[in-house]
Amino acid sequence: MAIERVAILGRGAVGLLYGTIAEKNLGPGAVQYVMDDERFARHDGEAVAVNGEPCRVPTIPASEAKPVDLVILAIKAPGLPTALDTMERLVGPRTAIASLVNGVTSEERIAERFGWERTVLSVAQGMDAVFIGSDMTYSHPGEIRFGAAPGTAAGVVDAVADLYARAGIPHVVEADIRRRMWVKLMLNVGINQTCMVFGGTYGSASEPGSEQNRCFVAAMREALAVARAEGVDVIEADLVQMAQLTASLDPAGMPSMAQDRINEKPTEVEEFSGTICRLAERHGLLVPTNQWLYQRIRELESSFSTKGPRREIV
């Protein structure tokens, strides 16, 4: 069955990026953002712009939502419990689900609620979207890489791929998507956390010989070791490729956790160094860079003002 109606949970950088691309190619009415009612009430009437153009994709509260053909989760990991409740109104018997949540655990939590049959495994990578205030900008749209989980029903991956093609969303169907998810986790563990702690950018973290670059690479190498201990065949060439990908992005751009520091929002540190540290302990591995990053990020989060102008569009 062709996918015609799409709901996106998450009106942050990634959600705005792919939602606006899809709207331009699929036309009005095909794509909508859905927020839980409380968040919708806080943000109702807010105008956001993407590369200087007003976002035309409508946003509706969960109480008005109806089942759609595809739900895309483009939220931050801390918002997943609320998103699962919101999805109750969106998911019907034939609704496909794609999670772009960082880390390697969100699909398991989704499947516990809605089952594996219509769920695909996904990562979004390579974009340089920056969302601060009410303006989102990007020069590289990146791509969505996805594939079947062991329990995904036949035809679901093909239906999602067809939708992405019609929507103009760059994508790749992966034969071994779990490996790709770990490669993306390795990248996030390095670039997101390094830029958050140092207040850095893609350019500063890629500068050869710099302290940021040493931290970036060391954190990734620890994640690589943990992946291999978990039985996932991540190799040095993957690390090199991710470092080269980062160096190709807008040097003034920054990943989501660095934006979280500016916007004083909760981070995904538990999905990144939190995951690496927990699994490293299980396998008897030393991960000092990730331990330091975890501690430092928690210290920074504790310093965030509770009265500052925080953006909570997730």
Side-chain angles (χ1 to χ4, degrees):
M1 184 181 72
I3 294 172
E4 302 294 343
R5 295 170 302 146
V6 180
I8 299 176
L9 274 65
R11 205 178 67 179
V14 174
L16 285 170
L17 171 61
Y18 291 126
T20 53
I21 289 175
E23 191 271 341
K24 288 180 180 178
N25 290 285
L26 298 176
V31 185
Q32 62 185 8
Y33 296 111
V34 181
M35 292 181 178
D36 66 88
D37 285 22
E38 181 182 350
R39 180 172 283 106
F40 179 84
R42 291 200 305 269
H43 299 291
D44 188 24
E46 287 184 346
V48 296
V50 177
N51 282 346
E53 297 183 7
C55 175
R56 295 188 297 268
V57 181
T59 301
I60 66 169
S63 58
E64 297 180 9
K66 296 180 180 180
V68 294
D69 301 321
L70 173 65
V71 174
I72 300 175
L73 285 89
I75 61 170
K76 296 291 185 64
L80 186 56
T82 300
L84 292 174
D85 292 339
T86 299
M87 286 173 63
E88 291 286 355
R89 290 182 172 271
L90 295 168
V91 176
R94 299 187 62 82
T95 302
I97 302 170
S99 172
L100 305 183
V101 179
N102 283 320
V104 293
T105 64
S106 68
E107 283 90 352
E108 293 180 2
R109 296 166 68 183
I110 292 165
E112 287 176 359
R113 180 82 70 97
F114 301 103
W116 279 111
E117 184 178 5
R118 306 290 296 173
T119 302
V120 299
L121 302 175
S122 307
V123 297
Q125 66 179 44
M127 70 286 297
D128 58 359
V130 175
F131 186 29
I132 297 176
S134 61
D135 298 311
M136 195 280 275
T137 59
Y138 73 93
S139 56
H140 295 271
E143 62 187 3
I144 296 175
R145 296 198 173 204
F146 70 104
T152 305
V156 174
V157 168
D158 289 341
V160 174
D162 174 71
L163 179 279
Y164 287 161
R166 287 184 285 114
I169 296 174
H171 64 280
V172 175
V173 177
E174 292 273 356
D176 187 354
I177 184 58
R178 183 166 179 258
R179 179 180 182 278
R180 176 53 52 185
M181 292 172 74
W182 266 94
V183 171
K184 175 65 185 298
L185 176 61
M186 176 181 66
L187 173 62
N188 276 329
V189 162
I191 192 62
N192 257 292
Q193 298 189 129
T194 297
C195 288
M196 198 280 187
V197 166
F198 287 91
T201 64
Y202 296 126
S204 63
S206 299
E207 184 180 348
S210 67
E211 183 179 5
Q212 289 185 44
N213 186 248
R214 290 194 297 272
C215 181
F216 171 32
V217 174
M220 285 201 296
R221 188 155 283 125
E222 291 174 359
L224 185 155
V226 171
R228 296 191 66 82
E230 283 284 294
V232 183
D233 190 25
V234 180
I235 60 176
E236 183 73 13
D238 296 313
L239 188 154
V240 172
Q241 182 185 44
M242 292 299 99
Q244 291 173 339
L245 172 65
T246 301
S248 73
L249 300 175
D250 179 0
M254 65 185 74
S256 60
M257 281 182 74
Q259 298 171 52
D260 291 339
R261 179 172 177 168
I262 294 171
N263 291 324
E264 297 195 347
K265 291 175 57 177
T267 74
E268 295 180 298
V269 65
E270 289 296 341
E271 302 300 315
F272 299 157
S273 55
T275 296
I276 297 304
C277 292
R278 286 190 295 273
L279 293 177
E281 183 176 7
R282 178 190 302 173
H283 294 291
L285 299 175
L286 297 177
V287 288
T289 302
N290 275 279
Q291 289 175 332
W292 176 78
L293 285 165
Y294 183 90
Q295 179 180 358
R296 183 64 184 127
I297 290 168
R298 284 305 192 202
E299 290 171 353
L300 287 167
E301 286 182 324
S302 68
S303 72
F304 290 167
S305 170
T306 59
K307 299 179 181 179
R310 297 175 59 172
R311 300 286 298 180
E312 296 186 274
I313 298 177
V314 298

